[in-house]
Amino acid sequence: ESVLVLDVGGTKTLAALVRGAEVLAEARVPTDATASPDVWIDAAGREAQAWAGRFDRVVAAVTGIVADGRWSALNPGTLAIPDGFPLEERLRTRFCVPAVALNDAQAAAWGEYRHGAGQGADMVFVTVSTGVGGGIVLGGRLVRGRGGLAGHFGIAYPLPEDSAFAHVEDGIAGRWVAAEAAREGHGLDARGVFEAAGRGEAWAEALLSRQAHRASRLLANIQLAIAPDVIVVGGGIGLADGYLARLEAALASTPPVRRPRLVAAALGTRAGLVGAADIAKQDAV
Ligand code: BMX
């Protein structure tokens, strides 16, 4: 009764053997952004070889939008997935078991609702990672929305219309943090920028407060639209040391009725794995 879960993000792919809420085994490989879905699935599949015969279904939780088992990018800058890739069909053929696929942040939202920081609540999950993704659980149900679109907050149009960014996440996510650091002459990834801020480097501190200001406005807009009991924050940046405090500080001047309640993802980077496995087991969506 174990499930093979593949969590394909813009930067890394996780493969895991999951039973209930327990991750029995886990492997991580980089997502080669220049490659294609078959390559990403193969890379994860090689890791899963060690678990052959121990799972009876496979679930993919992927960056991008999934509708009717087909996978596409909304923001190709986060990961350039070819339009309408037949993900569920390929997984069935590759692993010879029934397959289900859904968006990574929707899976993580469900994981945090079932076993993490959002239990019993009307909740929104937001991941700040390579992109900015989201998932919505209302009344105990994962809202997938028409065409699987629900929760794609990072894709929102930035205002004003002449913004330098096509999607709001293009000015918030890990890709922006690294690109902005490079523009300022620091060849670091997002993690490196957080480390530099931790050492008290003023440029990194300034960059991250701009980032937190933008991210907090997105969270405040989510609160306006959905007014969940809680917004659970995850993702590589979302879970970085002190990041939640940065968001809280940026939200301090927001009137209380409009201010989101933020909590860190209790399952950490495993929220998507656990949520995806649960969905496969319960056929909850
Ligand atoms: C983007 C979008 C979402 C995804 C989110 C976080 C693409 C390829 N992805 O908004 O579907 O949930 O990024 O993705 O359009 P991650 O790769 O940062 O986990």
Side-chain angles (χ1 to χ4, degrees):
E1 20 20 298
S2 297
V3 182
L4 170 64
V5 183
L6 309 182
D7 184 336
V8 183
T11 305
K12 63 173 194 312
T13 295
L14 306 177
L17 188 66
V18 184
R19 189 174 56 209
E22 199 187 344
V23 178
L24 302 175
E26 185 181 347
R28 165 197 291 239
V29 289
T31 306
D32 177 1
T34 64
S36 60
D38 285 314
V39 174
W40 304 326
I41 293 168
D42 271 354
R46 273 194 297 278
E47 302 299 321
Q49 247 159 29
W51 314 320
R54 294 179 64 194
F55 54 85
D56 58 8
R57 61 194 84 187
V58 55
V59 201
V62 293
T63 187
I65 191 165
V66 180
D68 299 327
R70 290 182 171 270
W71 184 22
S72 309
L74 283 178
N75 184 355
T78 297
L79 191 63
I81 304 137
D83 229 22
F85 180 83
L87 180 57
E88 287 182 354
E89 185 189 306
R90 288 299 170 85
L91 292 171
R92 265 196 300 276
T93 329
R94 173 76 170 72
F95 297 102
C96 303
V97 289
V100 175
L102 78 164
N103 170 261
D104 56 355
Q106 290 177 347
W110 187 246
E112 287 293 328
Y113 174 76
R114 290 280 291 149
H115 299 286
Q119 294 180 45
D122 280 343
M123 61 156 290
V124 164
F125 174 84
V126 173
T127 171
V128 186
S129 179
T130 316
V132 175
I136 305 164
V137 179
L138 296 177
R141 287 198 48 211
L142 174 66
V143 181
R144 296 231 276 181
R146 184 162 62 85
L149 185 68
H152 272 93
F153 309 118
I155 308 300
Y157 294 107
L159 300 173
E161 211 168 319
D162 62 356
S163 160
F165 306 116
H167 318 90
V168 78
E169 69 184 7
D170 295 342
I172 295 176
R175 294 177 65 235
W176 178 80
V177 174
E180 184 60 18
R183 212 181 56 80
E184 296 179 21
H186 307 275
L188 296 171
D189 60 8
R191 178 191 299 267
V193 176
F194 275 89
E195 286 166 3
R199 291 191 299 270
E201 293 184 28
W203 70 270
E205 190 52 48
L207 193 162
L208 291 183
S209 50
R210 280 162 73 204
Q211 196 278 352
H213 175 74
R214 289 178 183 162
S216 71
R217 288 166 69 99
L218 178 59
L219 295 173
N221 285 342
I222 293 169
Q223 192 65 26
L224 278 174
I226 301 169
D229 298 321
V230 66
I231 298 184
V232 179
V233 180
I237 289 184
L239 293 168
D241 253 4
Y243 184 68
L244 230 54
R246 290 177 187 278
L247 293 177
E248 300 281 11
L251 284 164
S253 59
T254 307
V257 70
R258 292 167 46 172
R259 196 183 306 150
R261 284 181 47 208
L262 307 181
V263 294
L267 305 177
T269 56
R270 291 178 158 180
L273 298 177
V274 170
D278 196 76
I279 273 169
K281 192 186 71 204
Q282 298 197 350
D283 224 3
V285 289

